[in-house]
Amino acid sequence: MTDAYIYDAVRTPRGKGRKDGSLHEVTSARLSAQILNAVKARSGLDTTDIEDVIWGNVTQVGEQGGCLARTAVLASDFAESVPGLSINRFCASGMEAVNLAANQVKGGAGRAYVAGGVEMMGRVAMGSDGAAIAVDPSIAMNTYFVPQGISADIIATEYGFSRDDADALAVESQRRAKVAWDEGRFARSVVPVTDINGLTILDHDEYMRPGTDMQSLGGLKPAFKDMGEVMPGFDQIALMKYPHLERIAHIHHAGNSSGIVDGAAAVLIGNKAFGEAHGLKPRARIRATAKIGTDPTIMLTGPVPVTEKILRETGLNIGDIDLFEVNEAFASVVLRFLQAFEADPEKVNVNGGSIAMGHPLGATGAIIIGTLLDELERQDKELGLATLCIASGMGAATVIERV
């Protein structure tokens, strides 16, 4: 086995995932090609030395279908000899792309990969590809399927998180994201998106609402209350699975859940020989990767058991980790992580997260790995752990170590 190193990590700004979002005119293939070209230009790569492009995207239909990874390569300045692999592990797709690439390098299957992902949520609607677990009664009934928002509210109910707890986390995410942008903490990784004339379309995360406070969030209606309670509602299904709960407390809304946005991210991964051949200095070593399956009804608790797994397999304990990125799919996901590990909130999502900046499904895993690396460097820390919850009940994690 050889070590797998991160040589570069880049991302686009995240645009609002709506028709009036700044990136709405850009297709998934074109946005992917731009971020691939950024990797090539920043590192001065001869891309014939890239073994593969592994690309995550969740809604693989229409313009995001047909092995988008290969389409992106052909739309980019990469060599025609570079193949492409599209993968889908729901919200962890971008992370799984990075982890798969790292493990290929460790196993000797090529010297270098580019891995990451894209999601144009304003152009390709979430869920438009269908899902057997949701629409096939023979599966949905056996798994006690409920939508993710209900799952987030189940976590809040099961582990005792209030609406105020969730809203306070959301306000802090917005505050931290604003500080990070104001202080230029993302400057190394974010590359502006341009049009065909080279003019900048977007150079910042436009979903942010830095003026958010507890009062403004307090006026928002719970987003999943009606689908849970209106007969026949999903709360009934959840209570069949968890009969010890008297009722489901619906605490999540648009302000304490992740934003629907467009975006892409890429990570350049290679072995030592690749770096030496291209005159590149490694920024971090991918020390370990992990994935796990969890309860498909509560669905979003995966960051806890997958973190336990990766710590166990590496011989680390939670106190050894300097910084954490826990994807803010919903506030209760991060609150549960903090509770389970008694983690220091000052070490978790220190630059804000998906509640403030948005969650472009197929890209987020790669985004948070890059954010984690930048912050380790900024604080001169050594070890970081990134993790995400995943639809259908899964979790994924990556531990990186600065070199």
Side-chain angles (χ1 to χ4, degrees):
M1 297 288 286
T2 186
D3 284 328
Y5 297 100
I6 296 175
Y7 287 97
D8 199 10
V10 297
R11 72 168 177 94
T12 68
R14 285 167 274 198
K16 294 177 183 178
R18 304 194 305 247
K19 290 184 178 180
D20 61 349
S22 294
L23 299 183
H24 185 70
E25 67 186 75
V26 186
T27 66
S28 306
R30 290 298 175 186
L31 194 67
S32 300
Q34 283 203 27
I35 207 71
L36 292 179
N37 287 342
V39 172
K40 179 178 185 292
R42 286 160 57 110
S43 299
L45 284 181
D46 174 0
T47 57
T48 59
D49 208 13
I50 299 297
E51 186 73 17
D52 204 354
V53 169
I54 305 179
W55 214 237
N57 67 288
V58 174
T59 310
Q60 297 190 5
V61 65
E63 67 184 50
Q64 288 188 170
C67 191
L68 178 61
R70 176 58 175 167
T71 304
V73 168
L74 295 175
S76 75
D77 297 332
F78 272 45
E80 189 179 69
S81 61
V82 181
L85 171 65
S86 290
I87 65 168
N88 180 4
R89 200 189 289 278
F90 296 119
C91 297
S93 297
M95 175 176 284
E96 191 60 33
V98 172
N99 291 353
L100 179 57
N103 291 329
Q104 292 281 86
V105 169
K106 289 180 180 182
R111 300 202 306 175
Y113 289 73
V114 175
V118 68
E119 207 78 31
M120 299 303 291
M121 301 181 75
R123 295 178 62 91
V124 184
M126 180 171 54
S128 58
D129 55 340
I133 194 169
V135 301
D136 185 335
S138 67
I139 300 173
M141 290 175 65
N142 289 336
T143 58
Y144 295 89
F145 170 81
V146 299
Q148 284 190 22
I150 301 293
S151 299
D153 286 338
I154 296 171
I155 294 173
T157 308
E158 176 72 16
Y159 295 101
F161 306 129
S162 69
R163 167 78 178 252
D164 281 351
D165 294 332
D167 286 357
L169 186 142
V171 170
E172 182 64 6
S173 179
Q174 294 282 358
R175 186 193 71 80
R176 293 182 181 190
K178 182 180 187 304
V179 170
W181 270 103
D182 288 349
E183 295 185 356
R185 297 184 190 179
F186 301 130
R188 180 169 185 176
S189 296
V190 174
V191 293
V193 179
T194 59
D195 63 15
I196 58 174
N197 298 311
L199 300 176
T200 297
I201 298 173
L202 185 65
D203 62 2
H204 63 281
D205 291 323
E206 71 173 342
Y207 182 81
M208 292 166 53
R209 297 178 176 88
T212 298
D213 56 24
M214 294 294 286
Q215 289 70 34
S216 61
L217 294 184
L220 298 178
K221 179 183 177 181
F224 311 104
K225 182 179 175 67
D226 287 348
M227 72 168 64
E229 295 181 354
V230 175
M231 302 292 286
F234 285 105
D235 285 6
Q236 290 179 292
I237 297 171
L239 293 173
M240 285 191 288
K241 181 73 173 286
Y242 313 111
H244 61 285
L245 301 177
E246 293 184 5
R247 56 181 290 276
I248 306 301
H250 293 290
I251 70 164
H252 289 92
H253 50 75
N256 59 27
S257 305
S258 56
I260 294 174
V261 296
D262 303 324
V267 180
L268 176 61
I269 300 160
N271 61 18
K272 184 178 180 181
F274 167 79
E276 291 174 344
H278 289 269
L280 300 174
K281 181 180 179 181
R283 296 174 62 189
R285 176 169 69 100
I286 297 181
R287 181 158 173 176
T289 69
K291 58 266 187 185
I292 202 167
T294 63
D295 179 345
T297 306
I298 203 167
M299 194 185 307
L300 307 174
T301 55
V304 173
V306 80
T307 296
E308 293 171 340
K309 179 182 180 182
I310 204 168
L311 293 176
R312 184 170 61 250
E313 292 178 348
T314 56
L316 297 168
N317 62 59
I318 202 72
D320 295 323
I321 307 298
D322 296 307
L323 293 170
F324 301 87
E325 284 289 323
V326 182
N327 186 41
E328 295 175 352
F330 298 90
S332 64
V333 174
V334 182
L335 290 170
R336 174 56 188 149
F337 185 91
L338 291 166
Q339 179 190 67
F341 295 106
E342 298 182 351
D344 181 355
E346 297 303 313
K347 295 182 177 181
V348 179
N349 300 347
V350 299
N351 293 312
S354 292
I355 289 174
M357 294 174 283
H359 176 19
L361 306 177
T364 302
I367 288 174
I368 66 173
I369 289 173
T371 299
L372 181 61
L373 175 55
D374 285 345
E375 188 62 20
L376 286 170
E377 291 174 339
R378 190 183 75 86
Q379 294 194 27
D380 194 22
K381 301 294 186 181
E382 180 181 3
L383 281 175
L385 184 149
T387 183
L388 301 93
C389 61
I390 308 173
S392 300
M394 294 182 281
T398 307
V399 171
I400 64 174
E401 179 180 20
R402 283 183 60 209
V403 295

